[in-house]
Amino acid sequence: MLSLTSIKMKSTTSTVKTSNGAARKKPPFRSLYSKPELEEMFRRFSIQRPEPKGELEHVNPFTLVVAVALSAQATDAGVNKATRALFKVADTPEKMLALGEEKVRDYIKTIGLYRNKAKNVIALSQMLVDRFGGEVPRTREELVLLPGVGRKTANVVMSMAFGIPTMAVDTHIFRIGNRIRLAPGKTPDEVEDKLMRIIPAHYLFHAHHWLILHGRYCCKARKPECERCVIADLCRSPEKTCDIPAPLVELPPQQIGE
Ligand code: SF4
């Protein structure tokens, strides 16, 4: 258990590029959680799920890009159901192009927005062949050039396919960042930036999956299941539904909700 007597809020800084390309320091912000509390929080997640895995099925970086692009506004289970058969016949951009948009559409028609997604799958396969020699690129700048691939998809691919620590903020991570005031922000980018700055570096690689799974199975959208939450005694959420108290630390008002 943490000592609550010597808790200091964690303040972080990093650099951003201005419009003329000059580097300047990002303004510091104060997390509601101290460094020892953040360490303890992610230590518990690491014990609870030592090898967290994404739930989207894929067999190589290409099928991962396709699966993540298909998962927008759809469940992982729904995407897996459709892609299992699709990836058996098309696990490379070349095979996907040979299959053609109409057949891709047939495979994925149980997924929301499937017409548009089928178009994107073909267009991104074409771009991979034309510009990247049929290989999935490793950088965010290149990945977001692919049709249907935004920053979140790029982050998932970088992390799961290439082992680069990133924070792809989905609906669960966005909710947790704000609900428990871990990294409050009005946009996913803001939450991503703050999480990347406060999560202890040695936990960063798995943190994305820990937070998604915590949100999916415990800190749920409609009603968090706080009585079985592994960080309930650390959590400072006003939405907490159990009577385990938050740490007894006095917070200056300006640090709350930043
Ligand atoms: S205690 Fe409740 S609100 Fe806090 S993280 Fe756990 S489930 Fe979410």
Side-chain angles (χ1 to χ4, degrees):
M1 195 56 76
L2 291 169
S3 156
L4 300 177
T5 51
S6 60
I7 286 177
K8 288 191 192 120
M9 296 301 107
K10 186 182 181 184
S11 172
T12 56
T13 57
S14 57
T15 53
V16 280
K17 290 244 163 86
T18 59
S19 52
N20 63 10
R24 75 168 163 75
K25 272 197 167 178
K26 278 185 183 180
F29 76 96
R30 291 190 176 273
S31 167
L32 265 193
Y33 296 87
S34 68
K35 209 169 169 181
E37 285 173 322
L38 290 164
E39 180 70 33
E40 177 62 11
M41 189 179 284
F42 285 92
R43 187 189 72 80
R44 291 190 200 171
F45 286 144
S46 75
I47 290 167
Q48 183 185 31
R49 296 188 171 95
E51 290 297 330
K53 296 230 174 352
E55 295 182 349
L56 277 178
E57 294 173 12
H58 59 283
V59 296
N60 56 26
F62 170 67
T63 49
L64 177 63
V65 174
V66 173
V68 184
L70 294 179
S71 71
Q73 294 175 48
T75 64
D76 289 359
V79 172
N80 290 341
K81 223 167 142 187
T83 56
R84 248 170 242 147
L86 173 65
F87 295 159
K88 272 196 188 122
V89 294
D91 60 357
T92 66
E94 293 83 357
K95 289 184 196 168
M96 199 63 82
L97 290 173
L99 193 62
E101 186 178 326
E102 207 173 311
K103 290 223 176 87
V104 171
R105 209 159 50 206
D106 284 345
Y107 277 103
I108 65 168
K109 65 182 174 213
T110 50
I111 304 175
L113 310 172
Y114 70 96
R115 287 175 197 283
N116 205 30
K117 287 177 180 176
K119 247 190 203 83
N120 282 336
V121 168
I122 292 297
L124 76 83
S125 301
Q126 190 71 58
M127 189 181 274
L128 286 173
V129 170
D130 294 346
R131 289 187 61 167
F132 299 103
E135 299 290 326
V136 175
R138 287 171 164 257
T139 68
R140 187 180 291 119
E141 292 69 25
E142 290 171 311
L143 282 164
V144 296
L145 296 175
L146 300 171
V149 174
R151 185 181 176 92
K152 179 165 83 76
T153 301
N155 279 344
V156 173
V157 173
M158 288 165 67
S159 163
M160 287 175 66
F162 304 124
I164 301 164
T166 59
M167 182 56 62
V169 175
D170 73 342
T171 178
H172 299 297
I173 298 185
F174 187 73
R175 180 177 68 254
I176 292 175
N178 281 290
R179 175 185 273 164
I180 76 169
R181 318 271 176 93
L182 186 60
K186 292 190 177 64
T187 64
D189 284 4
E190 204 183 325
V191 172
E192 175 188 332
D193 175 57
K194 287 183 177 173
L195 287 173
M196 290 297 287
R197 292 160 75 185
I198 61 163
I199 295 172
H202 47 285
Y203 289 127
L204 205 46
F205 183 64
H206 286 316
H208 162 243
H209 282 133
W210 286 328
L211 290 174
I212 288 182
L213 296 170
H214 185 60
R216 188 175 289 163
Y217 297 113
C218 185
C219 196
K220 296 178 181 175
R222 285 179 63 187
K223 188 168 180 252
E225 297 182 0
C226 307
E227 62 289 342
R228 58 182 202 82
C229 174
V230 295
I231 58 164
D233 59 315
L234 299 168
C235 175
R236 290 200 174 86
S237 172
E239 293 177 54
K240 209 146 88 168
T241 57
C242 63
D243 41 20
I244 299 171
L248 297 170
V249 63
E250 297 231 337
L251 297 169
Q254 74 274 15
Q255 291 175 334
I256 297 172
E258 277 187 1

